[in-house]
Amino acid sequence: MAGAVSTLPVATQARGEPAYAPAATVEPAWVRTLLIGVALAFLTLFLFIPLIAVFTEALKKGWDAYVVAIVEPDAVAAIKLTLLVAVIAVPLNLVFGVAAAWSIAKFEFRGKNLLLTLIDLPFSVSPVISGLIYVLLFGAQGWFGPWLREHDIKILFAVPGIVLATIFVTFPFVARELIPLMQAQGNEEEEAALVLGASGWKTFWHVTLPNIKWGLLYGVILCNARAMGEFGAVSVVSGHIRGETNTMPLQVEILYNEYNFTAAFAIASLLALLALVTLAIKSFIEWRAQHAQTQRLEDN
């Protein structure tokens, strides 16, 4: 009716919220409660209880036994190797991910879809299969095995093989995080910088990189988490040499198979702590990215 006054609160109208919510998008209270309960039950059963069990078993014989298991020479070697592999693999994947995302998001070229498919390959191939690929290439009877043996170069059952396998299973994470982000941002800012006389490197450093920094950090964290927790591919190429080629996941398997449960769960608890720290950093980055986006919208 003409001249009718809205019964909506002024604050609601000022925010531009709809006058009513369609019934199809509003669930009854019991439905929301049921869905939340199912989600919490699932998380409790498959996440919280296993985490609690890991730390409970790790500390079952006391703090002293826990510390002894952590500082045992083979455990220390496994921790150092895990960190070393991550330190090598993550920066390499960072460089590849930025280059691949830049190429795919900013340029059109023949073979672009093929490159996207190859980037997704580790997601569709079992890690064990990827490890076997390196055995086929660098094993004693592999394609390059005789040449490597003649030149006394060791890749399998050594750190280089573990690094290669880790790089293979983790290289999609940075690229796949950056590609949709860079595509959504478009090329306008880079083109404006180039028109104003900036070089390609300055454009990347002062325009592109600030725009993708949170997505880049997010991809790096996911890549690092996968690198430290990788088991299948590393298990195939490592040779399980104690104190030399065992990463933390492999050390956990060996200790568990030897019925040394306290030590196995102690190492597993370290991996769980690393995962929790990674999750906390990931959540912080998501919050910072959302905050930065909100700030940009307000400024505009």
Side-chain angles (χ1 to χ4, degrees):
M1 182 175 63
V5 178
S6 172
T7 58
L8 286 174
V10 175
T12 301
Q13 297 181 49
R15 288 197 301 268
E17 294 180 2
Y20 66 94
T25 62
V26 177
E27 301 291 348
W30 70 269
V31 174
R32 296 196 298 271
T33 302
L34 178 62
L35 292 174
I36 294 172
V38 170
L40 289 176
F42 187 90
L43 287 174
T44 300
L45 182 61
F46 294 103
L47 180 61
F48 299 140
I49 291 178
L51 275 176
I52 293 172
V54 167
F55 288 100
T56 300
E57 290 294 329
L59 297 170
K60 191 173 184 179
K61 295 185 179 179
W63 181 254
D64 291 339
Y66 180 87
V67 173
V68 169
I70 296 297
V71 301
E72 195 268 334
D74 288 346
V76 172
I79 294 170
K80 289 181 177 179
L81 180 58
T82 301
L83 296 177
L84 174 64
V85 170
V87 166
I88 296 173
V90 173
L92 292 176
N93 282 326
L94 185 151
V95 173
F96 168 79
V98 172
W102 176 279
S103 300
I104 292 171
K106 305 297 182 180
F107 303 100
E108 292 295 332
F109 55 91
R110 184 175 299 176
K112 182 175 179 178
N113 291 333
L114 177 61
L115 178 57
L116 278 168
T117 302
L118 293 176
I119 289 175
D120 290 337
L121 186 63
F123 288 146
S124 58
V125 175
S126 168
V128 174
I129 300 301
S130 64
L132 290 174
I133 292 173
Y134 286 105
V135 173
L136 176 63
L137 291 175
F138 305 118
Q141 307 301 322
W143 292 2
F144 305 111
W147 185 89
L148 293 172
R149 187 168 56 252
E150 290 175 4
H151 294 80
D152 196 25
I153 300 175
K154 196 170 185 181
I155 294 182
L156 287 185
F157 311 142
V159 174
I162 297 174
V163 171
L164 288 173
T166 303
I167 289 174
F168 180 85
V169 299
T170 57
F171 77 76
F173 286 93
V174 176
R176 264 304 174 189
E177 193 63 35
L178 291 180
I179 289 170
L181 176 61
M182 297 177 84
Q183 287 176 332
Q185 290 175 349
N187 301 328
E188 290 80 6
E189 293 186 22
E190 285 86 353
E191 291 172 352
L194 293 173
V195 169
L196 293 174
S199 64
W201 173 249
K202 286 186 177 179
T203 300
F204 171 77
W205 189 256
H206 295 289
V207 178
T208 303
L209 190 59
N211 287 337
I212 65 171
K213 62 181 179 180
W214 296 117
L216 181 61
L217 287 173
Y218 186 81
V220 166
I221 287 175
L222 292 179
C223 179
N224 182 69
R226 178 63 188 275
M228 290 190 297
E230 175 55 30
F231 178 84
V234 171
S235 178
V236 174
V237 302
S238 71
H240 297 274
I241 304 174
R242 283 180 178 270
E244 295 185 19
T245 63
N246 277 338
T247 59
M248 293 172 69
L250 301 183
Q251 184 70 10
V252 170
E253 181 199 31
I254 289 176
L255 293 171
Y256 190 86
N257 289 337
E258 293 177 348
Y259 301 100
N260 190 351
F261 300 127
T262 299
F265 281 103
I267 304 298
S269 70
L270 285 182
L271 281 172
L273 284 173
L274 290 172
L276 292 175
V277 170
T278 300
L279 180 62
I281 297 174
K282 168 180 169 291
S283 299
F284 172 76
I285 288 176
E286 288 177 337
W287 173 79
R288 285 290 299 172
Q290 185 177 8
H291 178 73
Q293 183 178 6
T294 303
Q295 190 65 39
R296 285 197 302 270
L297 292 175
E298 292 176 353
D299 292 340
N300 294 333

